[in-house]
């Protein structure tokens, strides 16, 4: 029998499927953030991750705070539509909450590969006609761009905020670069690309192999940091807004006096397409 203990996602998740036997990257992240939309296997995986990267919880929270700042920045820049790919399980400070509290007409489409994440997002968005969640794999970008829900809410003739926050390190090279190029190219001038990403060449790299093995047992096949140069490739011709590519907790103010950036293994940047 499926163990639903401690799990807050609604019963609308496919009743025949047992999601509790294998950890998922979305639910591990939820566990790191202290959420309750996860199973025992996810919490165990999160514990193992913390034993390898003690700052993993802090990084998740810093990443979430960056997402919040990034959405506000995009709102200030006039963006009113958000395509949030690899959006995860809804938690504090969701994109539609931030955007629609400032701009009630803002539109948000969440996309995630994880059925639990999508089911829970769909549930909380049930009465929100300007936001929705779809289950899709970013390795098939055209399917996302052509998706009826995306077409309904996102006007590709007007600027879009494309959010790829802490998710591209779960996508292998062969797919990630091509897919992001396709998504970016589909957006009109004035759109923004927001990326946060695990970076290699940090102390956390010592745990790299163990982390990769841990994620190989989840729904994603990889969890690999990339170099800064590789991460910059995701922006193509989009021009980085200041301060450029920095530690996720340093965007947009730059280095903080009390920061210990060597503990961070996630960098972030925002690019504007012209
Ligand atoms: C670490 S969570 C990040 C959640 C959210 N973007 C944030 O930063 O708070 C990574 C998310 O990416 C999703 N993901 C991984 N591979 C994906 C893929 N190929 N297509 C769509 N989503 C994917 C996972 O299911 C998970 O929800």
């Amino acid at each position: 029998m499926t163990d639903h203990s401690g799990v807050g996602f609604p019963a609308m998740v496919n009743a025949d499927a047992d999601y509790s036997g294998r950890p998922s990257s979305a639910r591990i992240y939820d566990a790191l953030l202290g959420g309750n939309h996860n199973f025992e296997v996810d919490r165990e995986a999160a514990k193992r991750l913390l034993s390898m990267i003690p700052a993993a919880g802090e990084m998740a929270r810093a990443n979430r705070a960056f997402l919040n700042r990034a959405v506000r920045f995009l709102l200030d820049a006039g963006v009113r539509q958000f395509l949030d790919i690899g959006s995860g399980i809804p938690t504090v400070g969701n994109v539609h909450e931030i955007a629609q509290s400032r701009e009630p007409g803002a539109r948000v489409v969440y996309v995630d590969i994880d059925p639990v994440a999508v089911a829970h997002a769909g549930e909380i968005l049930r009465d929100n006609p300007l936001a929705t969640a779809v289950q899709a794999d970013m390795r098939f970008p055209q399917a996302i761009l052509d998706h009826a829900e995306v077409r309904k809410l996102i006007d590709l003739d007007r600027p879009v905020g494309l959010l790829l926050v802490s998710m591209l390190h779960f996508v292998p090279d062969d797919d990630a670069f091509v897919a992001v190029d396709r998504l970016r190219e589909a957006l009109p001038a004035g759109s923004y690309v927001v990326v946060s990403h695990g970076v290699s060449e940090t102390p956390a790299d010592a745990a790299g192999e163990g982390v990769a093995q841990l994620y190989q047992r989840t729904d994603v096949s990889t969890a690999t940091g990339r170099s800064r140069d590789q991460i910059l490739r995701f922006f193509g011709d989009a021009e980085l807004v200041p301060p450029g590519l920095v530690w996720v907790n340093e965007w947009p103010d730059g280095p903080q006096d009390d920061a210990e950036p060597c503990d961070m293994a996630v960098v972030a940047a925002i690019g504007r397409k012209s």
Side-chain angles (χ1 to χ4, degrees), residues 25-26 29 63-64 86-88 112-114 136-138 165-167 170-171 220:
S25 67
Y29 184 69
N63 180 69
R64 218 44 221 176
S87 47
D112 204 283
I113 199 171
D114 186 304
D137 185 335
M138 74 82 64
V165 179
S166 193
M167 67 84 60
F170 297 123
V171 185
V220 293

Side-chain angles (χ1 to χ4, degrees), residues 56-261:
E58 190 191 330
M59 279 190 243
R61 288 187 290 279
N63 180 69
R64 218 44 221 176
F66 162 72
L67 173 64
N68 192 311
R69 295 193 297 276
V71 172
R72 291 177 198 282
F73 173 85
L74 265 53
L75 287 165
D76 287 343
V79 172
R80 299 291 179 263
Q81 325 181 81
F82 298 84
L83 184 56
D84 183 2
I85 300 183
S87 47
I89 290 170
T91 182
V92 177
N94 294 302
V95 173
H96 74 281
E97 292 163 348
I98 302 164
Q100 293 178 345
S101 68
R102 275 241 324 246
E103 290 292 334
R107 292 157 182 258
V108 180
V109 177
Y110 295 109
V111 178
D112 204 283
I113 199 171
D114 186 304
V116 172
V118 174
H120 185 60
E123 180 71 10
I124 65 172
L125 297 173
R126 189 183 285 180
D127 298 322
N128 191 329
L130 298 183
T132 192
V134 303
Q135 186 182 359
D137 185 335
M138 74 82 64
R139 290 173 295 174
F140 302 93
Q142 199 56 48
I144 294 176
L145 295 167
D146 291 343
H147 195 289
E149 294 290 306
V150 175
R151 286 288 180 198
K152 194 169 85 183
L153 286 182
I154 305 285
D155 177 355
L156 289 176
D157 291 326
R158 305 177 78 179
V160 175
L162 172 63
L163 311 178
L164 297 158
V165 179
S166 193
M167 67 84 60
L168 288 169
H169 39 248
F170 297 123
V171 185
D173 282 353
D174 285 353
D175 301 305
F177 292 110
V178 176
V180 176
D181 285 352
R182 178 70 200 101
L183 290 165
R184 203 185 54 247
E185 282 161 13
L187 305 181
S191 294
Y192 288 82
V193 181
V194 177
V195 172
S196 72
H197 198 298
V199 67
S200 50
E201 303 144 19
T202 71
D205 267 5
E209 199 166 319
V211 172
Q213 281 172 7
L214 186 150
Y215 277 98
Q216 274 158 19
R217 291 197 292 272
T218 72
D219 59 335
V220 293
S221 59
T222 188
T224 316
R226 294 189 168 94
S227 70
R228 284 173 170 74
D229 281 348
Q230 288 173 315
I231 295 166
L232 286 171
R233 278 178 55 193
F234 289 121
F235 293 93
D237 291 339
E239 192 180 340
L240 294 198
V241 304
L245 186 72
V246 294
W247 295 112
V248 72
N249 57 331
E250 294 180 351
W251 199 99
D253 296 329
Q256 305 298 296
D257 288 346
D258 57 350
E260 291 183 45

Side-chain angles (χ1 to χ4, degrees), residues 41-57:
V41 284
D42 306 306
R43 295 189 282 277
E44 277 170 17
K47 264 189 221 153
R48 282 208 304 284
L49 189 60
L50 283 165
S51 73
M52 291 184 274
I53 306 179

